[in-house]
Amino acid sequence: MAPVSVVTGAGSGVGRAVARALLDAGHRVALAGRRADALTGTADRAPAGHVLVVPTDVTVEASVDALFATVRERWGRVDLLVNNAGTNVPATPLEDVTVEQWSRVVDTNLTGAFLCACAAFRVMREQDPQGGRIINNGSVSAHTPRPDAVAYNASKHAITGLTKSISLEGRRHRIACGQIDIGNAATPLTERMSAGVRQADDSIAAEPTMDVSHVADAVRYMAGLPLDANVQFMTVMATTMPFIGRG
């Protein structure tokens, strides 16, 4: 049977590219995100019976539980979760970030990933055959922070701890967990990079980007491994973007 995958944030950008790559690889894919119309756009070329559109707010536990219940009811199992949903706020100096802004980013990027991982973990632990794979979307900001992005930086550093915890506790249930750290994939969210963004030396400079298809190909590779092999961490980035030392 075709593997069953859940992709969050599947309505645009990285999530859309990853979902379509998995569909092209023969997966049955549940598309999760807040906007049904955007998810439907992702699903427009999917093979019949291979796609499921499930509007979901990853920050709400009941919504996440309903997502996985729907997938399990339709297809009986979950083989892969791609924890991709994420958000940010406009570039703001650390001392000016509001608690509301902080909470909005952390609730989506970290708590949302945690809720989805827990729900997927429970399904994978109980299903027969047991096991599955979780791939978390970190970011190069999980390693090296970008100026004026404290909430995003902190949430993505925390994703690394979440990934390690899932990997550790998943061993006894045949649940593998890895993290893909992406740098400047060309999506609507990164359009501002070409106009110039603040650098570590306080200058403003345009940054190069790469085609988002390279991210989708990397996730498809990670997803295609047998459960006795795992890519723990992978960084995919525009070659000449500021990253190492942010310079």
Side-chain angles (χ1 to χ4, degrees), residues 121-226:
F121 198 101
R122 287 189 289 267
V123 176
M124 293 172 179
R125 180 190 62 196
E126 296 167 4
Q127 62 195 11
D128 185 19
Q130 186 186 60
R133 187 179 305 275
I134 297 170
I135 300 174
N136 292 325
N137 182 344
S139 168
V140 295
S141 291
H143 303 274
T144 306
R146 180 181 291 284
D148 299 337
V150 62
Y152 189 83
N153 295 333
S155 70
K156 292 303 186 176
H157 273 66
I159 285 292
T160 300
L162 178 65
T163 297
K164 291 179 179 180
S165 293
I166 297 168
S167 293
L168 179 61
E169 298 193 35
R171 291 175 184 172
R172 59 185 177 271
H173 304 297
R174 299 188 71 246
I175 298 171
C177 182
Q179 180 171 314
I180 184 163
D181 296 316
I182 302 164
N184 287 10
T187 71
L189 289 177
T190 59
E191 286 178 352
R192 66 188 180 92
M193 300 295 178
S194 60
V197 292
R198 189 172 303 282
Q199 302 298 304
D201 63 359
D202 224 25
S203 64
I204 302 295
E207 293 188 9
T209 60
M210 64 174 176
D211 195 289
V212 72
S213 65
H214 302 311
V215 179
D217 290 343
V219 173
R220 183 163 55 183
Y221 167 73
M222 295 169 75
L225 291 171

Side-chain angles (χ1 to χ4, degrees), residues 17-83:
V18 166
R20 286 177 169 173
L22 292 172
L23 285 164
D24 290 344
H27 289 230
R28 293 171 286 176
V29 181
L31 309 174
R34 289 178 296 179
R35 294 172 41 225
D37 59 334
L39 298 175
T40 300
T42 300
D44 61 2
R45 63 188 197 197
H50 273 238
V51 70
L52 184 62
V53 171
V54 190
T56 306
D57 184 343
V58 299
T59 70
V60 177
E61 185 175 14
S63 184
V64 171
D65 288 344
L67 162 65
F68 284 89
T70 299
V71 175
R72 197 175 191 181
E73 181 180 358
R74 173 67 66 88
W75 288 322
R77 62 184 294 110
V78 174
D79 297 296
L80 173 69
L81 164 65
V82 181
N83 243 335

Side-chain angles (χ1 to χ4, degrees), residues 6-24:
V6 176
V7 180
T8 68
S12 63
V14 168
R16 172 171 284 185
V18 166
R20 286 177 169 173
L22 292 172
L23 285 164
D24 290 344

